[in-house]
Amino acid sequence: MRPSILVSNDDGIHSTGLHALADALREVGDVTVVAPDREKSASAHSLTLHRPVAVRQISDAVYTVDGTPADCVYLGALSILDSKPDLLVSGINRGGNIGDDVTYSGTVAAALEGTILGVPSFAVSQLRPFGVQRGAHAGSPEFVWDNAARVSALVARRILADPLPEDVLLNVNVPAGDPEGLRITRQGKHLYDQVVHEALDPRGKVYYWVGSGAPTRLEQTDDTDYTTVRQGFVSITPLHLDLTHRETLQRLKSDWEAPLAAEFIED
Ligand code: MN
C-alpha cells in the first residue's frame, strides 16, 4: 500500500517550495497538502484557540487553512485525512532554519506538531540563494527547489523504511548552490544582531520592527547545522521534543533541590 503523506509549510499555499515538495513526495506516496492560506513564517508552534478556523479545499487533496502551520497539521492529521498519515513533511521553507531559528520557525513547528500527534515528521528548508535578502516575497524566483525536493524524497523513503524513535523529528537544511554532500549534524547557534528598528509613521507615531537584525557570523565546530550548510553540505539534525537538559537536571537535583525546598517551606 502506498504511504499517506501530509505536506504543510509556513510560507503559505502560494509558496513554490510547498508545491515542489508535494511533487517530489508524490513519487513516494499519496500526498495531501494542508497549508496556511497566507504566509505564517516565524509563527512557531502557535495554535489558533480564540476563534474558529476555516478549511477550504482548493483542488484534489489540496486544502488551505486560515490558521497557523500547527493548525494545518492538527486538522490535516485528525480531520481532513480519514486516518493519521504515515509521514508529515513541512517545507520547503524559503530560507534556512538552523540553530536558534528552530524555536521561531513555523516550518519546524509543523513537524513538532506531527511528532506530538505520533506521526513521523521532518522539516526541510532551503537556504537563501546568495544575494537574496530575508523577507523577499513568497514567489521569489531566485529560489531553486530541486536539491531540497530530491533530498526530501530520499529522507521520506528512509524514515518510512527505518523509523525514528518516538518524540524525535528531523530538521533538514539544504545549502544554496550545488550541495557538496550530506551530513548528520547537531543543532548549532544562529544569532542575529540584537537591534530594534524604531521610526515614525506618517502620523508621527513611533513604530518598531523586531527581528530585523543581520545574522551574526559565529565560529562553530564542524558538527553543527550552521557550519555544515556554510560548508555547502545538506544538514540533517535529529531534534527531540523533550527539551530537558540532563546534566543541569542532575546538578540542580543535588545542589538546589533540598535547600530551595527548605527555603520555600520556611517562608
Ligand atoms: Mn517560512
Side-chain angles (χ1 to χ4, degrees):
M1 221 179 76
R2 275 166 69 79
S4 154
I5 304 175
L6 180 59
V7 169
S8 193
N9 76 343
D10 77 354
D11 294 334
I13 193 69
H14 299 296
S15 169
T16 50
L18 173 75
H19 299 288
L21 177 63
D23 286 346
L25 293 173
R26 285 190 187 100
E27 305 288 319
V28 182
D30 294 330
V31 170
T32 302
V33 174
V34 182
D37 64 358
R38 69 200 75 175
E39 161 115 31
K40 289 285 177 186
S41 290
S43 59
H45 202 160
S46 56
L47 280 174
T48 303
L49 299 180
H50 303 292
R51 62 168 175 85
V53 175
V55 175
R56 201 157 70 91
Q57 181 165 14
I58 59 169
S59 63
D60 192 31
V62 180
Y63 300 80
T64 64
V65 174
D66 68 338
T68 65
D71 291 335
C72 292
V73 174
Y74 189 91
L75 288 168
L78 300 179
S79 175
I80 295 169
L81 290 168
D82 295 332
S83 59
K84 283 186 186 173
D86 300 302
L87 183 67
L88 174 279
V89 189
S90 175
I92 304 166
N93 189 58
R94 206 176 67 253
N97 277 305
I98 56 178
D100 311 277
D101 297 341
V102 303
T103 58
Y104 301 97
S105 168
T107 308
V108 175
L112 286 168
E113 185 61 24
T115 308
I116 286 173
L117 297 174
V119 177
S121 300
F122 70 93
V124 56
S125 305
Q126 171 65 57
L127 270 84
R128 215 163 293 289
F130 306 111
V132 176
Q133 295 303 307
R134 211 143 55 101
H137 70 87
S140 189
E142 297 89 343
F143 272 85
V144 178
W145 307 109
D146 302 15
N147 291 316
R150 207 158 57 83
V151 165
S152 299
L154 293 174
V155 172
R157 284 201 173 89
R158 273 277 160 182
I159 291 185
L160 290 165
D162 182 4
L164 298 169
E166 207 177 312
D167 293 348
V168 173
L169 58 144
L170 299 182
N171 182 31
V172 180
N173 281 278
V174 178
D178 282 330
E180 300 283 338
L182 178 155
R183 289 186 195 147
I184 306 297
T185 62
R186 67 184 179 86
Q187 187 184 344
K189 297 293 291 176
H190 195 210
L191 302 178
Y192 299 87
D193 292 341
Q194 296 177 0
V195 295
V196 175
H197 180 86
E198 185 181 327
L200 292 180
D201 74 12
R203 295 190 178 88
K205 195 166 175 288
V206 177
Y207 70 84
Y208 302 92
W209 274 103
V210 298
S212 57
T216 308
R217 293 221 161 187
L218 296 166
E219 284 309 315
Q220 296 179 52
T221 52
D222 283 353
D223 58 349
T224 62
D225 51 5
Y226 179 87
T227 307
T228 297
V229 292
R230 284 198 60 194
Q231 291 176 348
F233 288 78
V234 174
S235 162
I236 301 181
T237 311
L239 300 177
H240 194 196
L241 281 184
D242 178 356
L243 297 177
T244 310
H245 191 258
R246 306 275 163 197
E247 287 161 37
T248 305
L249 170 72
Q250 286 313 317
R251 193 175 76 74
L252 298 189
K253 194 106 186 119
S254 57
D255 296 353
W256 284 32
E257 189 174 71
L260 201 56
E263 273 186 85
F264 175 64
I265 287 163
E266 274 168 26
D267 271 2

